[in-house]
Amino acid sequence: MSTEETLKQLVNGFAGAALLTDAQGILITANLRARALFPALMEGRLVSGVIRNSDFQDSLQQVLEGGRSTDVAFVLRKPSKRHLGANIIGINGERQERFVFIHLRDREEEENLARMRMNFIASASHELRTPLASLLGFIETLQGAAKDDPVAREQFLDIMAVQAHRMQRLLDDLLSLSRIEMEAHAVPEGRVDMNALAERVVETMRLQARERGVTLNLIRDAELAVARGNEDQLEQVAQNLISNAITYGGDGGEVRIRVRPLPADHKHGPRIAFSVRDFGPGISREHIPHLTERFYRVDKQASRNRGGTGLGLAIVKHLVQAHRGTLKIRSRPGAGAKFTVEIPAADE
Ligand SMILES: Nc1ncnc2c1ncn2[C@@H]1O[C@H](COP(=O)(O)OP(=O)(O)O)[C@@H](O)[C@H]1O
Ligand SMILES: [Mg+2]
């Protein structure tokens, strides 16, 4: 195979945005990711006519003239502002030809990811710091002022237990979230009987529901509703959604859980829909798109008082994504809320 053929295969198989030029800087090939960044790229045309930035163009020119490979950061202003990076690599072919391989990166995406990671760590530390500070405060009090007061001691120990459990739940949720993220690329392949799963989860939550004066009603539309997935993970999805409905929508007195097979349509194959509907106060529109963000709560204090970590729906979203399913949230203030998860059905 010629050097050119080999390099073309590299570009087209490359995971990032990549393109290849000849010794004049004329495009030989660009992969789909590169075309998505620069739809005007055309074979047989100069790349510097499309990626119009002088820092980029100068660097490319140097490499075309035999200079060393470089990595250049630049900002494009048109059609919209974009922060890009280009790794430009000169390659000499077997018959004196010269090629230039370019890897383009969206630096904004990279910076956003880095920022998200930083924010996440900051929020997680903050969430842990609050109960920790309270624990330290009570320990100090028990060592000092309340040393010989058995009544106060009992009371403080109770509060301390609540705070310690809160930290434990937070750590559990953080760990499951990071485990789910690490495994996100692998689609769970088991067969899960969603009717039986819903029944099981509802039974384990009846007591919690009764304590809040809530009746759980399970509706199963069909005898058979088998999803493709991981049983423990789907159980966690169901549990988080039902627990939220009881906690935040319990005022409505009823939570309705439904399992419904959906036939294939033009967009999806057959799926199993699992929905949890409550008749509580509902959620106003501006909050809905943010509910699955980590640590996002409509009312921070209400969530904390009820033992929430702010991670339940983030975990649901990630688990559903790992199953290649979807999560829909429907709600209006005063009209309750409905969370629907659709998971691909298992093969017959
Ligand atoms: N059924 C519901 N009705 C009203 N608000 C809800 C409902 N489910 C979730 N929420 C809101 O979404 C927020 C995030 O939920 P979640 O991620 O499970 O965290 P947590 O329950 O720990 O606060 C909750 O704090 C609450 O404000
Ligand atoms: Mg929750």
Side-chain angles (χ1 to χ4, degrees):
M1 208 186 328
S2 69
T3 310
E4 179 169 333
E5 276 311 311
T6 310
L7 289 173
K8 273 183 169 173
Q9 285 194 7
L10 172 66
V11 167
N12 289 304
F14 205 72
L19 51 92
L20 183 71
T21 81
D22 67 8
Q24 276 71 51
I26 291 173
L27 185 70
I28 296 174
T29 190
N31 67 10
L32 286 174
R33 300 264 321 247
R35 288 179 198 282
L37 279 174
F38 292 101
L41 282 170
M42 220 192 300
E43 275 131 43
R45 297 281 183 82
L46 280 174
V47 168
S48 53
V50 176
I51 305 180
R52 302 172 73 96
N53 169 277
S54 57
D55 292 337
F56 171 80
Q57 289 163 338
D58 292 348
S59 305
L60 176 57
Q61 195 53 40
Q62 280 170 26
V63 177
L64 287 170
E65 286 165 8
R68 291 211 337 202
S69 301
T70 59
D71 198 23
V72 57
F74 58 101
V75 181
L76 278 187
R77 315 223 164 252
K78 281 184 213 162
S80 56
K81 192 169 175 185
R82 282 186 292 181
H83 295 255
L84 297 173
N87 195 352
I88 307 174
I89 303 163
I91 295 164
N92 293 319
E94 52 197 343
R95 289 189 287 274
Q96 314 296 297
E97 335 91 289
R98 187 159 172 85
F99 300 97
V100 174
F101 177 90
I102 304 174
H103 171 206
L104 293 164
R105 301 185 314 276
D106 187 335
R107 279 190 296 131
E108 201 147 5
E109 223 167 80
E110 290 169 9
E111 281 159 22
N112 279 345
L113 263 178
R115 203 172 309 127
M116 264 173 55
R117 241 173 257 136
M118 287 295 299
N119 283 344
F120 175 61
I121 291 172
S123 321
S125 319
H126 176 76
E127 294 289 335
L128 285 167
R129 203 196 317 269
T130 317
L132 184 60
S134 142
L135 277 176
L136 289 171
F138 283 114
I139 289 172
E140 212 166 277
T141 316
L142 284 174
Q143 286 171 333
K147 205 170 185 168
D148 304 310
D149 181 346
V151 179
R153 195 165 59 211
E154 280 308 304
Q155 194 190 345
F156 291 166
L157 283 172
D158 283 348
I159 304 175
M160 289 168 75
V162 169
Q163 297 298 336
H165 280 124
R166 190 164 128 64
M167 291 181 76
Q168 190 171 43
R169 268 196 312 276
L170 252 166
L171 287 170
D172 286 347
D173 280 358
L174 284 169
L175 283 176
S176 19
L177 203 51
S178 77
R179 199 171 328 117
I180 299 161
E181 283 203 319
M182 261 164 53
E183 294 166 358
H185 53 278
V187 184
E189 294 282 359
R191 297 172 64 84
V192 183
D193 177 345
M194 290 299 288
N195 282 332
L197 180 143
E199 167 102 51
R200 216 164 43 237
V201 176
V202 164
E203 283 316 314
T204 60
M205 305 198 77
R206 276 209 200 281
L207 186 67
Q208 186 190 334
R210 197 171 319 133
E211 282 170 356
R212 288 187 172 273
V214 179
T215 319
L216 300 182
N217 286 323
L218 174 58
I219 303 162
R220 282 167 293 191
D221 282 29
E223 286 278 306
L224 217 59
V226 185
R228 179 190 68 190
N230 174 292
E231 186 138 353
D232 291 340
Q233 294 186 352
L234 292 176
E235 212 168 283
Q236 177 152 33
V237 167
Q239 193 177 332
N240 287 2
L241 293 179
I242 298 173
S243 156
N244 277 351
I246 297 171
T247 309
Y248 306 107
D251 297 352
E254 182 194 353
V255 169
R256 215 174 277 165
I257 297 110
R258 186 169 173 195
V259 179
R260 189 159 58 110
L262 301 174
D265 60 23
H266 60 285
K267 263 167 77 186
H268 310 269
R271 284 148 298 144
I272 310 297
F274 172 87
S275 62
V276 179
R277 166 145 183 49
D278 69 61
F279 300 86
I283 308 155
S284 57
R285 196 199 189 96
E286 70 270 21
H287 294 297
I288 293 180
H290 301 291
L291 293 182
T292 56
E293 289 168 13
R294 293 151 187 210
F295 301 119
Y296 189 92
R297 293 112 149 174
V298 175
D299 179 340
K300 264 212 155 81
Q301 208 46 51
S303 153
R304 288 211 181 109
N305 292 345
R306 295 168 182 191
T309 59
L311 294 173
L313 289 174
I315 291 174
V316 167
K317 183 179 105 176
H318 276 88
L319 286 174
V320 168
Q321 274 175 356
H323 281 77
R324 303 294 183 265
T326 55
L327 167 69
K328 280 185 218 143
I329 306 174
R330 280 257 175 92
S331 184
R332 255 182 317 124
K338 184 177 177 187
F339 290 72
T340 307
V341 162
E342 291 177 11
I343 305 287
D347 294 331
E348 291 299 312

